[in-house]
Amino acid sequence: MIVRRTTSIVLFLLLSGTMLTGCWSRVELNELAITSATSIDRDGDDWIVSFQVVIPSTISSGIGITGGGGGSPVIVYSTKGKTIREANMHSVYESPRRLYFAHNRVIVISEETARRGLNPVLEVYLRNPDARETVDVLVTAGKSRKILEQMMQIQRIPGDGIREINTIEAENSSALPEVKMYELAMNLASDSASALLPEIYLSGTKETSSLSAFENTTLPSKLRLGRAAVIKKDKMVGWLSRKDALGVAYMRDAINKSLVTVACPDGSGNNSSISIGSSSTNQRPSLIDGNLKVKLEVKAEGTLVQSDCKSLDLYKTDVIQQIEKAAEKEIASCILSGWQSLQKLKADAVGFAGLAHRTYRKEWRNWQKDWDAEFARIQIEPAVSVTLSNVGLSNQSLNVDKLREGKK
Amino acid sequence: MKKQNNGADSQGSEQANRLSSDIEDNIRYAQDTLGTGPDILIRRLHLFQESKAAVLSIAGITDKASVNLLVDSMLSEYREQSGLAREGDPFQALLYRMLAVGGIRSLETLYDLDVAMLEGLSVVLLDGYDRALAVNTGGGERRGVEEPSTQTVVRGPKEGFAESILTNISLLRTKIKSPNLRIEYKIIGQQTRTTVAVAYMKGISEDKVVNEVHRRLDAIETDSILDSGYIEEFIHEKKYSPFPLLQNTERPDAIAAGLLEGQVAIIVDGSPFALLAPVTFFKFFQSSEDYYQSYDIATFLRVIRFVSFFASMLLPSLYIAITTFHQEMLPTPLLISIAAQREGVPFPAIIEAMIMELTFEILREAGVRMPRIIGSAISIVGALVLGQAAVQAGLISAAMVIVVSFTAIASFVIPAVNMGTSARLIRFAMMILAGSFGVFGIMAGLMVLLTHLSGLRSFGVPYLTPISPLVKNNLKDVFVRAPWWAMNKRPALFGKPGTSRQGKQEKKAISSQSGKSGEEEEGQ
């Protein structure tokens, strides 16, 4: 009897659980507004949040999907509020569906917002479980909503496209980092309190916010990655050029792949390009007169991918060494110019503060009080070594005249 | 015999009635109970000058030639005389000197007379004797040995059990020619009087299991056994479980393999499906063919079967859970693709899945029951109307159709049909859980299922052996099928532990032999 009663109680509880369905977090896919990109602008003290919402039916045109095809793949709208979340909430006044941020790929922050402080943005993303902190953060000069409105070639969802551009750039050129929200938070919370963010901007004359632009092979405007924004203590302090940013990447040991173009040793004014396949940087700190000096040992390995030099006999080791030397010089100059820009901005985007904290803990207590002053006194010494491991399929520069002679 | 007494009351009194010494009384009794239809054959004879005799048989269940031979042997005057001269007594002369057909037993009561005739025996009555002789003239039309229709293999024996228990046992005996193969018969069912055989290997099967099988079979009290399915439900342990607790097979080779691993087989007359007990969960994922083809592909297929089992059980529920609760689990392009398909669908995912799953179950049931000639109509209706039209009409998303189709196909991969059926049932429970609680619900459901599985036992053997409890030696034939030369020991769970199948040096013998012969040649 007891067994039967327990079973019936358990059954009753289980069944009543299934009746609760309506109260649970069940959301059908067609009740969701899948946000692919978000942007944040400021208007006075208010926040303007823009959403790029995917319209699924126009993206995938399989059978049986009514109204598929022609329309714009995304729709952008903005809401305003005293806080970011309030602005988000105001979307219910105009959106027929619940905003869904789990698949938000990028967040674009306007320069104004960045200069006024990123803390509220970080707070929103780290507090709420529905907004993922793996979102890519980018900065744009001017109004950020414009970026979301821009259509993209090939990739139908612009938000997704921006993220792809960012990823591919970070993998292949390594000048601008791909920074996710949690990385930004970690960088800003570290001893150096500085971070770099990639810039996205509209190149071209007119906005491509209509599908009709895709009837042409060239677009009047495009989304493009530009400089790197330097963030210090949650506020943006300035820009780094792409070359400087690449130098900083070498300093930070954040190079995946890159490309170095050097002038020919023969003085012809032509250039050669070396694709850097792997690079590692060793930061070796030392104390000089009580100040920090960092020796940056960069070890890079690359492939010669193009050489326009008149005569180049790659069988000879000294020719190879010449090219290597030139590449080393080029990289060192990148590093130095990046370093100068950083010192000018007083932003320790390399993370020397952490290095100092780890290696000179006693001195760090003093430096910590005024790290900016100490940062300005830091000296660096780049020691770059490039190894050309592969010269491709030819040991000569290709020259049709020579080829013809060779035939005779 | 006590059991039969519990049956019809009228039978009880009749059973005690002895045969009359008047032959006419006995014939009248037989006609009263069995009727006077055209199949009741009564051949009256005059033997030993003027003493009346009769041969009673039922046409259709007896073999005509045997009955004729029986009658013929009785009508031989020479036998009559010499028999009478030697034995003195006509009845003894009949029994020992005259009848040319074997399988003779003596009958005492009227009830026995009926039973003997219904079993296909011919009854010989002699006037003046209150006894009768039953002669085995069994026969009649039965299906012959054919290729099994349910568990087909590409490579391996193609013969399957038929309905006749004698045929089935002969198939088994030709596979195992060992005196250790013991077959014990019993009759179950007061009305159907079905012959049931218990087969086991002496010395390999655990005596306790054999005794337990006998005990449980003896405990069955029912009026009819028309298929081994009746027996299965009567003798397995837990009365309520979606999982099969006995294995059934149409293949004599599967039964033989089971016997050699220590299982006990139950063969039921009239059913081509024999039962094997005890059984474990993992047995249902083994196909006979696993052992006939090379072990690498057998292992691969076994993994595929386990994956399919879980797919057929969980795929629709995972689809429901992920699309309605955990959209963040999907990669963005996939999410958008599914979202696009679901755009016009008016139902929630759980309703959509239920509709499609039920539709499939209806289609499948229709396909099984329908006359084969109109089978193609079903496939057209199923494929066109439900597959394509439902999607085009925007009622069902294309992804759902894919999920349902995959689930359906996956459920056919499991070699044991009854295990596939349990996955089908559990699927619906899982779908409701997924629709209510998401992946949390599925995990809770799986937990309950695992607890249930761990608690199951088949004839005392834990259902999840050899995983839980872990029996290391048996692992060679669970998720992988080890090569034959590596499976030296019998699985210890059914039979007596540690009995070997083959000498350990089996594999070595081959390699060392070839090595030795090479050396010898060099030496010479």
Side-chain angles (χ1 to χ4, degrees):
Chain A
M1 270 322 278
I2 295 168
V3 175
R4 184 168 292 176
R5 193 189 293 162
T6 354
T7 0
S8 52
I9 288 173
V10 167
L11 269 179
F12 173 75
L13 287 176
L14 279 177
L15 283 176
S16 52
T18 60
M19 296 290 126
L20 286 172
T21 44
C23 314
W24 270 56
S25 54
R26 192 180 67 89
V27 186
E28 293 295 331
L29 276 182
N30 37 17
E31 294 164 7
L32 289 180
I34 303 162
T35 314
S36 58
T38 318
S39 79
I40 297 177
D41 283 306
R42 294 302 291 267
D43 178 25
D45 278 343
D46 285 348
W47 296 81
I48 300 176
V49 186
S50 306
F51 313 101
Q52 187 187 68
V53 173
V54 176
I55 306 172
S57 54
T58 58
I59 302 244
S60 165
S61 44
I63 49 163
I65 293 147
T66 44
S72 162
V74 290
I75 188 162
V76 178
Y77 55 89
S78 303
T79 52
K80 197 168 167 182
K82 283 198 195 69
T83 64
I84 296 173
R85 276 280 148 167
E86 192 190 292
N88 276 6
M89 201 277 286
H90 285 159
S91 69
V92 298
Y93 298 120
E94 50 182 307
S95 169
R97 293 183 180 190
R98 211 185 85 179
L99 282 175
Y100 186 65
F101 291 103
H103 286 268
N104 193 9
R105 311 309 297 268
V106 289
I107 171 165
V108 181
I109 294 168
S110 72
E111 188 179 344
E112 188 197 350
T113 316
R115 286 199 188 270
R116 288 172 67 171
L118 290 173
N119 232 1
V121 182
L122 290 169
E123 148 79 22
V124 165
Y125 269 82
L126 295 178
R127 180 181 297 279
N128 295 297
D130 61 336
R132 286 194 178 177
E133 57 269 20
T134 50
V135 61
D136 277 11
V137 189
L138 295 108
V139 178
T140 186
K143 288 276 172 227
S144 58
R145 188 192 149 109
K146 291 264 182 282
I147 303 293
L148 300 199
E149 285 167 356
Q150 179 71 12
M151 293 278 197
M152 186 171 277
Q153 71 282 17
I154 307 176
Q155 207 84 359
R156 293 214 74 183
I157 306 166
D160 198 31
I162 294 172
R163 189 201 183 94
E164 291 302 324
I165 294 177
N166 202 0
T167 310
I168 285 173
E169 189 281 331
E171 266 172 24
N172 292 302
S173 143
S174 308
L176 303 177
E178 181 183 6
V179 184
K180 301 196 183 298
M181 189 59 88
Y182 72 91
E183 289 169 339
L184 177 66
M186 277 162 63
N187 286 340
L188 294 183
S190 71
D191 287 332
S192 59
S194 302
L196 291 186
L197 289 178
E199 183 205 20
I200 185 127
Y201 70 106
L202 274 183
S203 78
T205 48
K206 227 170 81 193
E207 275 178 54
T208 313
S209 57
S210 156
L211 270 183
S212 58
F214 289 112
E215 286 165 7
N216 306 321
T217 52
T218 50
L219 302 179
S221 63
K222 266 180 248 178
L223 285 175
R224 246 189 176 170
L225 291 181
R227 302 162 287 175
V230 183
I231 314 287
K232 189 185 170 193
K233 289 182 183 150
D234 104 303
K235 289 189 175 60
M236 181 178 153
V237 289
W239 298 99
L240 283 188
S241 74
R242 226 181 275 174
K243 186 189 172 189
D244 292 353
L246 183 64
V248 175
Y250 272 109
M251 285 194 267
R252 290 162 54 104
D253 191 16
I255 299 284
N256 293 315
K257 278 186 204 161
S258 193
L259 193 96
V260 186
T261 298
V262 293
C264 285
D266 55 11
S268 61
N270 289 345
N271 292 314
S272 300
S273 282
I274 298 163
S275 160
I276 301 290
S278 67
S279 160
S280 67
T281 307
N282 216 339
Q283 301 173 342
R284 292 200 183 281
S286 56
L287 277 182
I288 289 189
D289 305 333
N291 292 326
L292 194 66
K293 182 180 176 182
V294 185
K295 189 176 178 190
L296 296 158
E297 290 173 356
V298 179
K299 276 201 182 108
E301 200 179 303
T303 312
L304 187 69
V305 288
Q306 186 176 357
S307 170
D308 294 340
C309 307
K310 287 254 165 56
S311 61
L312 200 63
D313 190 359
L314 292 168
Y315 276 142
K316 290 181 181 147
T317 44
D318 55 326
V319 175
I320 300 272
Q321 273 168 3
Q322 273 177 351
I323 299 173
E324 285 173 355
K325 281 267 139 45
E328 283 162 11
K329 229 173 111 188
E330 179 64 28
I331 291 173
S333 89
C334 267
I335 292 175
L336 285 172
S337 112
W339 175 244
Q340 277 162 13
S341 309
L342 280 187
Q343 275 197 325
K344 215 176 282 166
L345 292 169
K346 292 180 183 165
D348 179 13
V350 191
F352 280 155
L355 182 74
H357 192 168
R358 278 195 302 275
T359 42
Y360 301 109
R361 275 173 293 177
K362 226 193 290 165
E363 289 81 351
W364 169 250
R365 279 187 216 129
N366 285 325
W367 294 341
Q368 197 184 4
K369 288 169 198 152
D370 190 4
W371 176 246
D372 280 355
E374 179 56 32
F375 182 70
R377 286 195 287 271
I378 294 179
Q379 290 175 13
I380 63 156
E381 185 197 337
V384 188
S385 100
V386 174
T387 316
L388 204 57
S389 58
N390 191 345
V391 294
L393 300 177
S394 167
N395 60 338
Q396 301 270 327
S397 302
L398 186 96
N399 189 329
V400 280
D401 289 335
K402 270 191 191 164
L403 279 183
R404 205 180 310 114
E405 282 164 24
K407 253 184 182 174
K408 282 172 188 172
Chain B
M1 280 295 109
K2 200 183 155 200
K3 229 184 330 156
Q4 265 85 29
N5 279 336
N6 303 336
D9 283 337
S10 57
Q11 267 181 11
S13 54
E14 273 167 22
Q15 198 173 357
N17 288 351
R18 291 187 59 86
L19 284 161
S20 162
S21 52
D22 182 3
I23 188 168
E24 291 303 327
D25 281 352
N26 292 336
I27 292 176
R28 210 173 302 120
Y29 170 79
Q31 281 178 332
D32 281 350
T33 50
L34 301 173
T36 52
D39 60 334
I40 308 296
L41 306 176
I42 301 169
R43 179 82 154 88
R44 289 167 188 278
L45 308 164
H46 287 224
L47 301 178
F48 311 110
Q49 271 75 43
E50 282 312 307
S51 90
K52 282 197 276 183
V55 176
L56 278 62
S57 61
I58 299 178
I61 59 169
T62 50
D63 179 31
K64 220 181 216 171
S66 303
V67 176
N68 287 346
L69 180 63
L70 174 70
V71 173
D72 192 38
S73 66
M74 288 163 74
L75 290 176
S76 156
E77 225 164 289
Y78 167 74
R79 289 188 184 193
E80 218 172 67
Q81 284 166 8
S82 71
L84 199 58
R86 300 251 181 126
E87 301 290 336
D89 176 45
F91 195 83
Q92 296 295 318
L94 197 63
L95 178 58
Y96 293 114
R97 300 279 170 184
M98 289 168 67
L99 299 184
V101 181
I104 301 174
R105 69 170 197 255
S106 176
L107 303 177
E108 305 274 316
T109 66
L110 290 167
Y111 178 73
D112 283 350
L113 181 138
D114 278 351
V115 168
M117 284 183 69
L118 289 167
E119 280 176 7
L121 287 89
S122 295
V123 175
V124 177
L125 294 167
L126 195 61
D127 194 24
Y129 290 89
D130 60 351
R131 284 170 293 162
L133 293 172
V135 184
N136 190 355
T137 52
E141 296 303 314
R142 299 211 98 165
R143 194 168 63 99
V145 175
E146 288 167 14
E147 195 177 338
S149 54
T150 52
Q151 291 148 321
T152 46
V153 292
V154 177
R155 183 177 171 184
K158 301 274 187 191
E159 58 192 9
F161 281 139
E163 276 76 13
S164 161
I165 192 168
L166 289 174
T167 315
N168 295 351
I169 285 171
S170 70
L171 287 173
L172 196 57
R173 282 208 194 271
T174 51
K175 293 244 177 261
I176 307 174
K177 298 174 199 77
S178 159
N180 289 332
L181 171 63
R182 300 293 162 90
I183 297 172
E184 288 153 11
Y185 297 90
K186 40 184 89 244
I187 287 179
I188 304 178
Q190 287 119 21
Q191 303 294 341
T192 58
R193 297 186 51 80
T194 311
T195 314
V196 174
V198 176
Y200 62 96
M201 294 297 288
K202 190 147 184 66
I204 296 177
S205 293
E206 194 91 63
D207 296 337
K208 268 190 284 180
V209 175
V210 179
N211 293 338
E212 184 62 19
V213 170
H214 277 298
R215 198 185 63 75
R216 290 194 193 171
L217 284 176
D218 289 340
I220 297 175
E221 276 184 30
T222 181
D223 60 344
S224 62
I225 297 290
L226 295 180
D227 186 83
S228 53
Y230 286 43
I231 302 246
E232 184 177 345
E233 284 192 17
F234 273 120
I235 64 172
H236 70 55
E237 257 101 341
K238 260 244 173 89
K239 299 295 179 196
Y240 306 104
S241 173
F243 294 99
L245 291 169
L246 284 174
Q247 194 183 345
N248 69 65
T249 178
E250 234 183 325
R251 304 184 56 83
D253 53 329
I255 294 286
L259 292 180
L260 290 168
E261 285 187 1
Q263 285 177 297
V264 178
I266 301 164
I267 304 168
V268 178
D269 191 30
S271 169
F273 290 93
L275 302 175
L276 277 175
V279 74
T280 64
F281 179 72
F282 304 99
K283 272 259 159 201
F284 293 95
F285 296 91
Q286 302 172 349
S287 154
S288 302
E289 204 170 359
D290 286 359
Y291 304 97
Y292 306 145
Q293 57 191 354
S294 67
Y295 57 89
D296 42 8
I297 184 74
T299 302
F300 173 69
L301 290 178
R302 218 169 256 184
V303 172
I304 294 260
R305 282 183 209 134
F306 282 106
V307 171
S308 309
F309 178 73
F310 283 101
S312 106
M313 196 164 67
L314 294 177
L315 201 64
S317 45
L318 280 175
Y319 176 83
I320 295 168
I322 291 175
T323 54
T324 52
F325 287 92
H326 318 283
Q327 292 94 349
E328 65 276 1
M329 280 172 69
L330 290 174
T332 309
L334 183 60
L335 177 83
I336 288 168
S337 168
I338 292 178
Q341 290 168 28
R342 281 201 51 82
E343 242 353 74
V345 178
F347 308 110
I350 168 83
I351 302 292
E352 193 191 359
M354 277 290 177
I355 291 175
M356 282 312 281
E357 283 295 341
L358 283 175
T359 313
F360 169 70
E361 291 297 331
I362 290 168
L363 266 178
R364 171 178 175 149
E365 187 60 14
V368 174
R369 305 288 154 232
M370 222 176 25
R372 246 164 241 171
I373 316 147
I374 44 173
S376 58
I378 272 279
S379 33
I380 293 168
V381 171
L384 285 182
V385 177
L386 294 163
Q388 214 179 341
V391 173
Q392 274 179 340
L395 294 177
I396 303 291
S397 66
M400 192 67 236
V401 175
I402 295 170
V403 166
V404 171
S405 326
F406 187 80
T407 310
I409 293 168
S411 72
F412 292 117
V413 173
I414 306 149
V417 178
N418 43 3
M419 186 50 91
T421 320
S422 34
R424 259 159 84 190
L425 284 180
I426 295 164
R427 182 195 305 157
F428 284 97
M430 284 293 181
M431 278 159 65
I432 292 172
L433 281 174
S436 318
F437 307 106
V439 169
F440 171 75
I442 297 178
M443 289 322 286
L446 282 179
M447 228 108 93
V448 170
L449 213 58
L450 190 66
T451 319
H452 175 72
L453 277 172
S454 316
L456 283 181
R457 259 155 212 282
S458 171
F459 282 85
V461 175
Y463 203 49
L464 289 182
T465 3
I467 302 301
S468 152
L470 186 69
V471 185
K472 271 189 193 150
N473 186 40
N474 294 9
L475 286 176
K476 284 178 185 173
D477 195 15
V478 178
F479 299 110
V480 298
R481 199 278 274 174
W484 270 112
W485 43 260
M487 293 196 281
N488 290 322
K489 292 264 172 70
R490 273 173 229 291
L493 55 150
F494 309 128
K496 294 191 169 140
T499 55
S500 355
R501 261 179 174 146
Q502 59 209 4
K504 254 194 175 163
Q505 71 286 2
E506 197 79 355
K507 174 71 184 172
K508 279 184 217 149
I510 302 163
S511 55
S512 66
Q513 231 172 32
S514 57
K516 241 181 223 164
S517 62
E519 278 167 32
E520 274 166 13
E521 272 167 22
E522 275 177 343
Q524 283 162 358

